[in-house]
Amino acid sequence: MKPNRRQILAGVVAGLCLIAAAYYVGKFIDRPAQVDGGYRQVMGTFARIVAVANKPRQARTCIEAGFDEIRRIEAVCSAFKADSELSKINREAFNGPVKVSPELFGLLRKSVEYSKLSNGAFDITVGPVVDLWRKAGEANSMPGAEALAEAKSRVGYEKLLLDANTQTIRFAVAGMRLDLGGIAKGYSVDNAVEIMRQKGAIAGMVDAGGNIYCFGKPLDKAVWLVGVQDPNLENSEPLMVLKLQDYAVATSGDYRRFVTIAGRKVSHIIDTMTATGANKLAGDTIIAKTAMEADAISTAVNVLGPEKGLALIESFADVECILITAGPEYRVVKSSGANSYIMEN
Ligand code: ADP
Ligand code: MG
């Protein structure tokens, strides 16, 4: 039997309704989602990843891929893991040239660049002095002048020999040790962001121990907001809030990580000139284009102190800083372009 006109019309309407329903359901499922992966322990600190993607599942995939990448870099760069590529260099590079992966070679070359830029304030060869102070902290007794001088004689980026042709690393002096603690977290953040983008993240935030990169726009606000901690830890309110889009921020300071030796607070950041804990700044926050740059420069500026640190920052076109001078009277020093990243309250 042929359908009459009413039946045809009813069929068309039903069909249209179905299409509309499918469209709305699809739209609902495909609506961009923001997922917070929370804090996880990695690289001797806590890392947090937030991702925005077209589907919640995709956002979660991006988060896992980001954490995997941070862990992968930790396995290459850790001075604590005996099977890391860095540990192999530390064991063997005085005996002869050690061939390293293009990735680690690139990171070491970048590190030396930051040493040159900062007049040696940032220096990954600081390992022997870091170790000395760690042991001093464990023993709760200050290292002697002789031990300090001895450790210092094994530090200096000019003693780290990189051969680009053979992609090898060599130590000029016995007992040298590389420590990537001042740059690897930032580097891992940039890599995590890259992988998340490849997996379809349209926005996100990656934080590895205060080394942060924010890209795109969050769903719940107009821009990613990052609080700068008050050096007075009793104050739970941030000192200021930064707004970031496709930008990185890193903070270095001694108000969280330090050792107390015989009642004296010693920063985990080493002043390479004196081979003791840096003490010119309570903290410094660096805003830069990449998390690696922000990380390395934040360590350097912490060593350099307010005057030389600010001069270094002002010499870069696209780097800004907020410095907090050493207590008891904290003073905030901002670089000339910092205000454009600071939220007005
Ligand atoms: P955090 O590790 O607290 O984020 P930093 O990025 O400033 O802080 O890195 C500090 C770490 O870098 C230290 O724990 C040590 O491993 C290493 N380090 C210490 N002094 C220096 C220095 N002058 N240059 C480069 N790395 C350093
Ligand atoms: Mg750093």
Side-chain angles (χ1 to χ4, degrees):
M1 203 176 81
K2 262 177 86 178
N4 63 27
R5 278 175 113 182
R6 266 180 75 183
Q7 283 170 320
I8 292 174
L9 195 66
V12 169
V13 169
L16 285 176
C17 284
L18 256 175
I19 291 170
Y23 175 74
Y24 277 109
V25 169
K27 232 183 125 122
F28 179 71
I29 291 171
D30 270 353
R31 206 165 46 190
Q34 178 169 321
V35 179
D36 187 340
Y39 285 95
R40 302 190 197 169
Q41 227 170 335
V42 60
M43 282 199 164
T45 182
F46 286 93
R48 177 182 170 212
I49 300 181
V50 179
V52 179
N54 283 325
K55 291 180 183 165
R57 218 176 71 184
Q58 191 176 21
R60 284 193 291 271
T61 304
C62 292
I63 289 168
E64 295 312 319
F67 278 118
D68 286 349
E69 178 65 4
I70 296 174
R71 277 188 220 102
R72 184 189 69 76
I73 292 168
E74 180 182 21
V76 173
C77 296
S78 171
F80 301 106
K81 295 183 192 278
D83 58 350
S84 73
E85 227 190 318
L86 191 81
S87 290
K88 182 177 155 72
I89 296 177
N90 282 341
R91 273 193 308 270
E92 300 173 8
F94 179 65
N95 300 331
V98 176
K99 184 139 179 110
V100 298
S101 64
E103 177 176 41
L104 186 55
F105 193 87
L107 187 57
L108 297 181
R109 186 144 73 173
K110 263 291 184 199
S111 298
V112 172
E113 267 176 40
Y114 288 119
S115 291
K116 289 179 179 162
L117 271 176
S118 66
N119 218 351
F122 178 84
D123 193 331
I124 57 165
T125 68
V126 76
V129 175
V130 170
D131 289 347
L132 184 69
W133 282 103
R134 187 181 303 118
K135 284 182 195 129
E138 282 159 13
N140 195 26
S141 93
M142 294 296 265
E146 213 169 289
L148 267 175
E150 212 279 313
K152 194 167 179 272
S153 73
R154 291 185 265 134
V155 174
Y157 66 92
E158 68 291 340
K159 303 181 185 107
L160 176 64
L161 311 174
L162 280 77
D163 187 333
N165 291 326
T166 53
Q167 296 270 304
T168 56
I169 305 292
R170 200 157 59 81
F171 290 161
V173 172
M176 285 174 69
R177 266 180 78 80
L178 303 182
D179 178 335
L180 293 175
I183 192 168
K185 289 191 280 290
Y187 174 72
S188 75
V189 167
D190 291 331
N191 275 260
V193 166
E194 182 55 35
I195 297 237
M196 287 168 70
R197 281 187 157 134
Q198 281 168 19
K199 301 243 176 234
I202 44 184
M205 194 230 24
V206 180
D207 172 358
N211 299 276
I212 301 172
Y213 191 91
C214 300
F215 63 106
K217 281 187 183 178
L219 287 184
D220 53 349
K221 357 180 187 13
V223 67
W224 297 103
L225 301 177
V226 175
V228 176
Q229 188 154 43
D230 196 312
N232 176 6
L233 292 176
E234 280 161 29
N235 189 359
S236 59
E237 289 286 304
L239 191 64
M240 55 184 84
V241 176
L242 305 177
K243 355 169 241 192
L244 297 174
Q245 184 172 5
D246 301 328
Y247 246 84
V249 62
T251 297
S252 283
D254 68 357
Y255 48 94
R256 274 201 181 276
R257 280 183 63 192
F258 55 85
V259 290
T260 307
I261 306 172
R264 252 184 67 186
K265 180 176 163 181
V266 180
S267 174
H268 69 299
I269 300 168
I270 300 297
D271 183 335
T272 40
M273 298 293 273
T274 60
T276 59
N279 57 13
K280 296 194 181 88
L281 287 170
D284 66 287
T285 295
I286 306 294
I287 302 157
K289 281 234 148 94
T290 68
M292 175 176 72
E293 178 138 311
D295 191 1
I297 293 179
S298 74
T299 305
V301 166
N302 196 273
V303 171
L304 290 170
E307 291 85 17
K308 286 183 183 164
L310 188 63
L312 177 69
I313 297 302
E314 298 292 13
S315 75
F316 301 120
D318 48 13
V319 183
E320 302 298 339
C321 70
I322 296 137
L323 313 180
I324 301 161
T325 61
E329 285 296 314
Y330 298 114
R331 201 162 47 84
V332 175
V333 180
K334 291 184 258 179
S335 62
S336 52
N339 275 341
S340 57
Y341 299 95
I342 299 171
M343 221 175 59
E344 291 161 34
N345 37 11

